[in-house]
Amino acid sequence: MERDHMKDLRRYLALKYIQYLVLSSSNAVSTLLGLLGSAYTMVLLQSAKVSSKSTAVLISSLAQADILVFLSLVSDAVSGSFGVSPAASALPRILLTANAHLSCVLLSCVAFEAYLITFLPLESRSLRTVRNARLISRAIWTLVAAECALFLVDDHLRASSSPGLLFQLSSVAAALLRSLSYILGILLRIINVYIYYKIFFSMSPRSRLKSK
């Protein structure tokens, strides 16, 4: 009997929702499971049995985001083995932050698409394209990369102990960005809960009708 690949993808999404939108912080077990799930998902999405749709593009980008976790672990191991600058030692933390932000936003995009498929399937068909999904994924990666660059510059200027206008600007910008990211993270959690609440209770009556 053939394996249900869509069921595997749903399980992967459930794992990621628990890891990034339910748990307050990652731990060794969830990180390891996330890495293994992402590796399996990237292989699975290369299969011809999985149709190339906008949801698959978003899930692929979500799985690729875990490459940052792997790079963080490698960077952390290198930092522990060799003497590195304080700014370089902050790289593992920044990579993990980038992974968390990418994952939260991409998971929210998947949830929003599920909302459109459930409630506006015909009206949203022109929006739910592979091209748009790729553009959205690239835009998210670009914004998060810019965020990481700002955090790296801020850490470098703090480590160099050279106060000046650039230091003050980067410090204020980094602080504002961290506050914005925190607020956005809370909003995304609320929005995701609302979306799946709506989807669940809209599907429940249909399930009950089918069972009669």
Side-chain angles (χ1 to χ4, degrees), residues 143-207:
L143 290 173
V144 173
E147 177 190 42
C148 289
L150 176 60
F151 289 155
L152 281 172
V153 169
D154 182 55
D155 285 335
H156 174 73
L157 292 175
R158 288 178 183 275
S160 63
S161 301
S162 56
L165 180 60
L166 182 60
F167 170 77
Q168 293 176 358
L169 289 175
S170 68
S171 180
V172 170
L176 288 174
L177 191 55
R178 288 188 177 96
S179 298
L180 179 62
S181 298
Y182 178 76
I183 295 171
L184 182 60
I186 294 175
L187 289 176
L188 288 179
R189 283 174 170 82
I190 295 172
I191 292 171
N192 275 270
V193 169
Y194 172 77
I195 287 175
Y196 284 110
Y197 171 85
K198 290 281 290 183
I199 291 175
F200 175 78
F201 282 101
S202 70
M203 298 299 289
S204 293
R206 301 177 198 176
S207 301

Side-chain angles (χ1 to χ4, degrees), residues 10 12 35 49 53 70 84 106 117-118 169 179 185 189-191 195:
R10 286 192 290 270
Y12 173 69
L35 286 172
K49 296 180 181 179
K53 294 183 178 180
F70 177 74
V84 294
L106 287 167
I117 292 171
T118 304
L169 289 175
S179 298
R189 283 174 170 82
I190 295 172
I191 292 171
I195 287 175

